[in-house]
Amino acid sequence: MSVRCRFAPSPTGPLHIGGVRTALYNYLFARKQGGAFILRIEDTDVARSRVEFERDILTGLHWLGLEWDEGPEVAGLAARGAYGPYRQMERLALYREAAERLLEGDLAYPCYCSPEQLDADRKAQEAARQPPHYVGRCARLSAQERRAREAEGIKAVVRFRVGAERVAFDDLVRGHVEIDTRTMGGDLIILRSDGSPLYHFTVAVDDAQMAITHVVRGEEHLSNTPKHILLFRALGADIPTFAHLPLILNPDRTKMSKRKSQTALSAYREEGFVREALVNYLALLGWSSGTEEELFRLEELVERFDLDRVQSGGAVFDRERLEWMNGQWIRRLSQEEFLARMTPFLVRHLERRTSAGERVRQPEEAELRALVPLVQERLPVLAAIGELVDFLFLERVAVEPGQLVPKRWDQRTTLEALEAARGVIRDEIGPVTFEADELEPPLRRLAEERGWKAGDLFMAIRVAVTGRTATPPLFDTLVALGRERTLERLDRATDVLAGAAAPTQ
Ligand code: GLU
């Protein structure tokens, strides 16, 4: 029997890191086994489901490269797969039919209890220190009693008989699990009085009808699994194999949440995490490859993935490691690919500076290309490109006199050095020879002649032309800036420093 597994997000929030990992493990497992990866949208929580969230989920999966074999129609693309529809709100008739079958077999029954009765039951249970459960008032009504209630116009919910037993299953991650159904709250409502289905029922009906062989999902669903197993049995369906993935934890080992961590995939994407890194990092967040290697592409993960190396203990989300991995994957992009991915980040950054009232010139294609070797190895996230190189495109950079003066120097030495450096560049290096290799020797010689540490001189120049203390390598930076701008900025920085009160050190 070929593997069929599904990712079944509820569009009640944006696609988050935990959801991505669940989708990824399902995808990897399906691909590795030559099976099908199915996307099912669980949108029956009408009050909280939103089209924007569904779009965010679909876009996110698509961006990551987790293409599904079967799933709903999206943005004009036709639905795929023979088990549709793949949105639960389009499957209401199927749930009703399934409930009918259960009612016919007396595996479910109509329940007429009023909210007041259920409330009173709950209070009595609380007082008696019992866990909340349905008392079974309507479980044994005769046909006549039911008719009488119908005649009164009472609308019934449908309850599924849960019974008393220990449900056992072998989870691929958690091992043998046994749960006593008496802890599960009694007979389970599967349809509300308006005929709309409840969550556990839709999951079981869909997994059965879509012939799902492996249910791979978050640990928070572990305790619901016995309910699903009972429903599978009642529906006459095969029971799938389960794999419950470990929780993702904040560094303080609490469950990862929006409050403490950034959870939305789109936020990582906007920061300039690349898909290769997110896929790689999340694959290893709870699964081990069994080797020392750390960097894997999606196809390599497919080759190696197996559910039996998924850990059962919580996996701590380590942003620093993700950033490190992101830097690694950014470096591995081809020049073209890097350029294509980095440019929008730079453009957005420059637009923000323009909106902030600064004069910005538009980067030219050739300039951007020249920047690649200078920055590709230096970015933990693509969005860092803005701060790293915007000084090249700002008409004026703000230079802090305090920063211009290196620690071991005073204002006078700095002024002298900037003027001397400007002289060297103006007199010794022509526009044609304005290359990093040509710039370095004369400036080193200057430092030597005057008895300055080359590092101090270079820092003063760096701050003078960029306004920053950290930039790509100095001489490449000067080349990128061009001879005229370099001279002009050295000039301006000298003026700034000369006009400033002597900084107190
Ligand atoms: N719709 C559920 C969720 O978003 C997933 C249910 C399942 O995987 O069984 O948490």
Side-chain angles (χ1 to χ4, degrees):
M1 187 178 45
S2 85
V3 161
R4 293 176 56 81
C5 52
R6 85 303 192 272
F7 175 49
S10 305
T12 52
L15 182 56
H16 55 84
I17 289 295
V20 172
R21 190 195 53 179
T22 301
L24 176 62
Y25 284 21
N26 273 286
Y27 173 91
L28 294 175
F29 183 66
R31 287 286 170 276
K32 170 70 185 279
Q33 303 292 327
F37 172 52
I38 294 142
L39 174 65
R40 179 171 80 221
I41 302 290
E42 303 205 322
D43 55 355
T44 55
D45 183 345
V46 184
R48 293 173 56 227
S49 293
R50 298 240 293 268
V51 196
E52 304 88 271
F53 293 141
E54 183 185 302
R55 201 172 312 129
D56 182 80
I57 294 168
L58 299 171
T59 321
L61 294 175
H62 182 70
W63 178 71
L64 290 163
L66 306 182
E67 293 303 338
W68 50 94
D69 304 302
E70 298 178 23
E73 111 293 329
V74 278
L77 288 177
R80 278 173 262 177
Y83 296 79
Y86 294 91
R87 267 190 204 92
Q88 289 190 325
M89 285 306 282
E90 293 165 19
R91 301 174 59 82
L92 296 178
L94 289 163
Y95 308 129
R96 230 159 298 158
E97 270 166 44
E100 280 305 322
R101 268 195 287 137
L102 296 182
L103 283 165
E104 274 162 30
D106 194 34
L107 297 165
Y109 59 87
C111 166
Y112 303 92
C113 291
S114 66
E116 295 75 30
Q117 281 174 314
L118 295 174
D119 212 40
D121 290 345
R122 218 197 34 245
K123 289 197 176 115
Q125 289 159 6
E126 257 169 43
R129 296 190 178 283
Q130 288 172 350
H133 61 278
Y134 178 59
V135 296
R137 194 178 292 108
C138 295
R140 306 275 162 231
L141 296 182
S142 65
Q144 207 181 350
E145 288 170 310
R146 283 182 193 159
R147 270 197 303 276
R149 283 168 176 72
E150 303 279 340
E152 281 178 56
I154 306 178
K155 286 242 179 249
V157 302
V158 177
R159 280 191 194 267
F160 172 64
R161 296 188 194 281
V162 166
E165 63 169 301
R166 291 183 75 77
V167 175
F169 59 99
D170 290 307
D171 190 280
L172 290 182
V173 177
R174 320 281 315 186
H176 189 73
V177 179
E178 268 190 46
I179 296 179
D180 192 325
T181 57
R182 275 167 297 201
T183 63
M184 292 184 345
D187 295 343
L188 181 73
I189 302 182
I190 56 174
L191 293 188
R192 295 188 189 87
S193 55
D194 65 2
S196 62
L198 274 99
Y199 166 68
H200 296 297
F201 186 52
T202 58
V203 169
V205 170
D206 289 348
D207 285 342
Q209 195 267 337
M210 295 181 178
I212 299 301
T213 60
H214 291 74
V215 170
V216 179
R217 62 185 169 194
E219 183 177 305
E220 62 277 17
H221 294 290
L222 185 69
S223 59
N224 300 328
T225 302
K227 290 179 187 158
H228 302 166
I229 291 180
L230 294 178
L231 283 164
F232 284 125
R233 266 202 235 149
L235 293 165
D238 290 334
I239 294 169
T241 302
F242 294 93
H244 285 91
L245 308 178
L247 293 177
I248 300 182
L249 307 176
N250 292 311
D252 65 3
R253 302 199 68 84
T254 54
K255 187 175 173 212
M256 192 184 193
S257 65
K258 283 208 281 267
R259 230 163 22 84
K260 288 197 179 159
S261 308
Q262 172 170 295
T263 54
L265 174 72
S266 59
Y268 286 91
R269 188 175 166 182
E270 277 157 30
E271 269 192 79
F273 284 93
V274 296
R275 65 178 77 94
E276 292 82 352
L278 284 160
V279 160
N280 190 163
Y281 180 72
L282 291 175
L284 293 173
L285 194 60
W287 169 77
S288 112
S289 68
T291 69
E292 296 284 294
E293 283 167 77
E294 306 187 272
L295 299 178
F296 301 103
R297 290 180 187 282
L298 189 58
E299 311 82 70
E300 293 166 326
L301 290 165
V302 166
E303 249 166 61
R304 288 160 203 252
F305 190 78
D306 210 334
L307 288 168
D308 56 17
R309 274 200 310 274
V310 174
Q311 74 199 41
S312 58
V316 177
F317 186 83
D318 177 353
R319 182 177 161 116
E320 261 173 48
R321 187 165 144 75
L322 171 60
E323 275 189 19
W324 171 80
M325 216 172 246
N326 201 50
Q328 296 297 316
W329 281 111
I330 289 178
R331 276 164 214 212
R332 284 167 173 73
L333 298 174
S334 69
Q335 174 175 335
E336 286 308 312
E337 190 62 28
F338 174 71
L339 206 55
R341 296 205 207 178
M342 168 274 270
T343 304
F345 284 91
L346 179 58
V347 168
R348 265 202 301 277
H349 178 86
L350 294 177
E351 278 166 4
R352 276 196 298 271
R353 309 280 316 224
T354 307
S355 319
E358 289 176 77
R359 298 223 326 266
V360 175
R361 70 184 176 85
Q362 285 314 305
E364 283 164 30
E365 165 85 24
E367 271 180 296
L368 291 177
R369 231 167 248 289
L371 280 181
V372 172
L374 307 186
V375 298
Q376 191 167 4
E377 304 229 330
R378 289 192 158 69
L379 296 177
V381 291
L382 293 172
I385 186 70
E387 289 287 314
L388 191 61
V389 301
D390 62 357
F391 61 84
L392 293 171
F393 308 105
L394 296 172
E395 293 293 351
R396 263 171 189 270
V397 290
V399 175
E400 280 285 323
Q403 277 191 339
L404 263 176
V405 180
K407 279 211 173 52
R408 284 181 286 255
W409 286 10
D410 55 17
Q411 187 178 8
R412 203 180 44 78
T413 318
T414 311
L415 271 174
E416 183 190 334
L418 290 178
E419 271 162 16
R422 190 174 184 285
V424 166
I425 294 173
R426 187 192 54 215
D427 302 336
E428 297 185 32
I429 305 159
V432 183
T433 49
F434 203 73
E435 294 295 334
D437 297 352
E438 303 294 327
L439 279 159
E440 187 168 351
L443 288 170
R444 279 200 184 278
R445 215 174 315 123
L446 172 69
E448 225 165 87
E449 281 164 16
R450 307 281 174 107
W452 298 326
K453 285 217 159 40
D456 289 335
L457 174 64
F458 297 168
M459 184 51 87
I461 299 175
R462 178 192 311 275
V463 175
V465 300
T466 68
R468 305 256 162 83
T469 50
T471 65
L474 178 63
F475 303 105
D476 296 311
T477 299
L478 299 183
V479 174
L481 210 48
R483 185 168 184 274
E484 293 318 308
R485 276 193 199 99
T486 299
L487 291 173
E488 196 184 286
R489 287 187 185 188
L490 282 169
D491 223 13
R492 209 180 305 133
T494 314
D495 288 349
V496 167
L497 189 57
T504 43
Q505 298 232 347

